[in-house]
Amino acid sequence: MKRKTPSCLLSILIGLAFLAGTLLSGTNPARAAGETAVVAGTSVNVRNGPGTSYGVIARANLGDQLTVLDQSTDWYNVSLSNGGQGWIAGWLVDIQQPKAAAAGAGLVAVLNGNDINVRGGPGTSYGVITQGGSGDRFPVLESTGDWVKIQLNSGTGWVAGWLVSLETAQPAASQPAADEPTPSAVGSVGSGAKVAVVSGSVVNVRSGPGTSNAVVGTVTQGNSLQVLSQSSDWLQVSLPTGGNGWVAGWLVALKDVVSEPVQPATGQTDDSEVSRGGDRSDDSRDSDDDNDSNDSDTGRVLSMNVQNTASDQTTFTIRTDTPVSYNSFFLSNPDRLVVDIQGVAPGELPQTKEVSSKTVSKVRSGHFQKNPDVTRLVFELCSGVQSEVSLSGSNKTLIVDTYIPKLDGAYKNKIIVLDPGHGGPDPGAIGPGGTQEKTVTLDIAKRVSKLLEAQEAKVVMARSADTDVSLAARTDIANKNKADIFVSIHINAHTDPSIGGTTSYIHSGNGSSGEASRLQESDKLARSIQTEMVKSLGLRDIGVKQANFAVLRTSNMPAVLLELAFISNQAEEKLLQTDSFKNKAAEAIVKGIGTYFMQKKTA
Ligand SMILES: [Zn+2]
């Protein structure tokens, strides 16, 4: 089977082509203005006409966004970045509909803290693209839920609405005085009674309009609060407990009391509540510089002692002058353990403490809440680290133990389907030295299988010889065996031989709520394996990517597709021929799987 471009993805894309062809053949709807084609293959030909018989005039890369001009059966006519235009196969792109008119037109998002993550999508499960610092300003494009889409210098990103202030994009001279109501992201309160229905899971109530004011309480999703006044994006509301306070306008929905019955907001998951709770630490940091000397009659932290109790274990001992209780939770990407100590102020604790340890890089502390006091500690964990929190010494000593878990037992009785890519008449990609992808993927999968079986996992191979197995049959095997996870092993290829590196893929998602939790688990599994592969193979870290690959789409369980290296890169092809590299790859995959199961067990 000859091909011009050896591509690991080819047989996966054939599966896609079949689906796209079925859906699109014979149709030729008028193109809506503003549709975007997002390239779903690693290197996709752009041709001067709608079909493979036309010449190649350019190539588009994975993730490129091209404006759609026209369509002919399953080919799209697109604008190119060089100003020209060409045709691209419909089964190699995802078509995105034009967005509704930008909700945030004319607004600017101003970041309220340092190291604020800008993500690829509206939620903490999306990867971090870049970070911004306090006072950074970005034009607002739109908002979804509590998340705000912003224009970056190049491209776009998403930031959490509770970590930014929204301002109108007007010259400073034309803005009203600060204490007058200003045009707002949430619309004007205007005349007539309004209620604010809380849309965030847990939202801070502050003593004034802005995150620099103290938190005086919290309200929860669905609470209806009578609106008393408005200042910029902030609303002054009556509290259910009596009294009043200020809430951020982007965390509530404004309702007219007279004309609309109040509907509680729905659709928040428990996960988002945990994330929001964690990110509130950022929100609260700006009040850390408050003078705590007024708190002398309340409890405080006396000391925090750090001890490396074993080579892969570090124990933190926090002593307080009064009995405390605590609440702890875990945040991923990056991994953090958050411990809220109830009943004490931070005292002399440093805001940031660097730690020399294999498990924790630093500990941040802050005065998370006053009246009653809560001290928040955020432990920045190294990858795969586990933790235990306990109280002793008449509840005046809090022990935080962090350790690298022994993976024994993590795999026991887990059903793991390994899918060595390609096989039979399909060699997959072929390296410059003649190495065939199908041979390497089977070799490494067999090594992975041996290691997993030694740990008492139940391994099912989608193929265990050089045979032709369809993509549908591979996921059928996983679905019928009710596998815990599906791991597809591939080697990447690119027309540019200088390109190398390690990538993990998860499915791009179909937007259904059932798919969301599977995707989240797939993402955790992929990150866990990617981390270990990058650590042990030492190749370029291309990261965890999303793609609409058939085996990721049709499997019912957490599923990942690993591209260990580039066979088209001469140096990496040589590595793929060595036992040492193949063993390292197998061990890394096994370790990543074990860490994933271990985290799931203790989560
Ligand atoms: Zn492949």
Side-chain angles (χ1 to χ4, degrees), residues 183-383:
S184 161
V186 295
S188 170
V189 171
S191 58
K194 301 259 183 187
V195 292
V197 182
V198 177
S199 54
S201 322
V202 181
V203 171
N204 287 333
V205 179
R206 294 179 181 274
S207 60
T211 53
S212 57
N213 294 288
V215 174
V216 296
T218 57
V219 287
T220 53
Q221 188 175 86
N223 281 170
S224 291
L225 312 167
Q226 192 197 337
V227 176
L228 304 172
S229 70
Q230 179 179 19
S231 173
S232 183
D233 297 331
W234 289 75
L235 299 170
Q236 189 185 27
V237 293
S238 284
L239 297 175
T241 51
N244 64 66
W246 292 82
V247 293
W250 59 93
L251 297 177
V252 299
L254 265 186
K255 302 275 181 181
D256 196 314
V257 171
V258 185
S259 61
E260 281 181 65
V262 173
Q263 297 289 340
T266 56
Q268 291 281 341
T269 65
D270 291 337
D271 274 351
S272 70
E273 182 163 5
V274 170
S275 305
R276 188 187 325 285
D279 278 328
R280 274 200 299 167
S281 64
D282 297 328
D283 175 31
S284 70
R285 253 186 301 176
D286 49 13
S287 62
D288 290 345
D289 52 4
D290 289 358
N291 189 340
D292 285 338
S293 60
N294 294 338
D295 299 336
S296 56
D297 55 336
T298 67
R300 60 177 53 230
V301 175
L302 296 173
S303 64
M304 177 167 69
N305 181 272
V306 186
Q307 191 182 8
N308 288 329
T309 31
S311 70
D312 49 6
Q313 182 172 21
T314 302
T315 304
F316 299 80
T317 307
I318 297 109
R319 292 197 169 80
T320 60
D321 64 359
T322 186
V324 295
S325 58
Y326 73 93
N327 179 34
S328 68
F329 55 93
F330 181 83
L331 295 170
S332 58
N333 191 28
D335 290 352
R336 284 154 293 166
L337 169 71
V338 181
V339 181
D340 286 339
I341 314 174
Q342 284 133 11
V344 285
E348 304 299 316
L349 273 186
Q351 276 193 32
T352 303
K353 185 177 175 65
E354 306 283 340
V355 181
S356 173
S357 144
K358 281 189 183 169
T359 58
V360 174
S361 58
K362 69 171 87 152
V363 183
R364 288 186 283 128
S365 64
H367 203 166
F368 181 62
Q369 187 185 297
K370 296 176 184 175
N371 304 320
D373 282 316
V374 175
T375 291
R376 170 163 287 188
L377 301 178
V378 180
F379 296 81
E380 302 199 351
L381 303 177
C382 305
S383 176

Side-chain angles (χ1 to χ4, degrees), residues 7-12 421-422 426-429 437-438 441 489-493 561-563:
S7 167
C8 159
L9 301 174
L10 197 61
S11 76
I12 299 162
H422 312 278
D426 170 16
E437 180 186 356
K438 67 171 183 180
T441 58
I489 297 173
H490 286 253
I491 311 297
N492 221 331
L561 186 148
L562 312 175
E563 299 277 8

